[in-house]
Amino acid sequence: PVLEYHLMHENDSFRIRALEVMARIGDVGRVPTLKDAMFLLPPIEVHRGIVAALAGTDDDAAVEVLEQGYNGLQYTEVREAIVVALGGVDRPLARKVLLRILKGAEDPGLRASTLRALARSGDLEQVAVLRPYLKNKDPEVRFQAASGILRLSTGAGAEEN
């Protein structure tokens, strides 16, 4: 209850500190509270804190909330944080969400971040996903595809999280 109180406090520094604590705790029971906060609290710093706290739970419900946040929030910085967070969640659902994000990503920076997140999974099946992006017109996307394939093929994906 104390963390939830601070999460809804009018002072952003209280909110951010509560989110930092929640991220360290990784309590799955707080996912509904974090979901509500993601769509009610405005500052980008608060959103990034919510993303970190959700990623720390390593739970499918949190992955679903992260996907909803990606689709519902238009801030590129927050979307980037969501992609990075999903890349650190070792769950099949997180990889499926990243694939959906990749398919719809129009921004080359988000596309490159998503490729990097998929490569971090350590899942060799992602090589087939990365391969077509070797011919992308954006150099950062091509670089992330190539380095991701190298990382996965040498087994270095999950260790470099």
Side-chain angles (χ1 to χ4, degrees):
V2 173
L3 288 175
E4 283 81 358
Y5 168 78
H6 282 87
L7 187 60
M8 297 303 171
H9 199 278
E10 63 188 44
N11 185 322
D12 289 342
S13 64
F14 279 88
R15 293 176 185 174
I16 293 168
R17 184 69 183 132
L19 290 167
E20 289 170 353
V21 171
M22 288 176 145
R24 277 190 234 124
I25 293 171
D27 181 4
V28 175
R30 298 193 191 278
V31 170
T33 302
L34 291 166
K35 178 183 178 183
D36 292 343
M38 181 176 282
F39 294 102
L40 294 175
L41 303 176
I44 289 177
E45 296 80 22
V46 173
H47 285 128
R48 282 193 293 238
I50 292 168
V51 168
L54 285 166
T57 64
D58 197 30
D59 178 72
D60 281 347
V63 171
E64 290 170 1
V65 173
L66 287 168
E67 182 176 25
Q68 291 170 9
Y70 182 90
N71 293 328
L73 300 169
Q74 299 304 311
Y75 305 113
T76 302
E77 292 176 47
V78 176
R79 284 182 158 191
E80 178 89 23
I82 289 170
V83 166
V84 171
L86 287 167
V89 176
D90 187 24
R91 303 190 70 78
L93 181 59
R95 288 189 287 283
K96 288 179 185 176
V97 169
L98 285 169
L99 291 173
R100 287 194 287 267
I101 289 172
L102 181 61
K103 189 174 184 178
E106 295 178 15
D107 178 72
L110 282 173
R111 195 174 298 127
S113 294
T114 307
L115 292 170
R116 184 173 40 253
L118 285 166
R120 286 177 49 203
S121 72
D123 180 2
L124 279 174
E125 291 181 17
Q126 302 310 317
V127 170
V129 173
L130 298 174
R131 192 169 282 127
Y133 291 93
L134 292 170
K135 296 180 181 178
N136 191 279
K137 65 180 181 177
D138 186 88
E140 180 64 17
V141 170
R142 287 194 311 269
F143 173 78
Q144 290 304 328
S147 64
I149 290 169
L150 178 64
R151 186 177 305 133
L152 288 167
S153 62
T154 60
E159 294 88 48
E160 294 183 11
N161 283 339

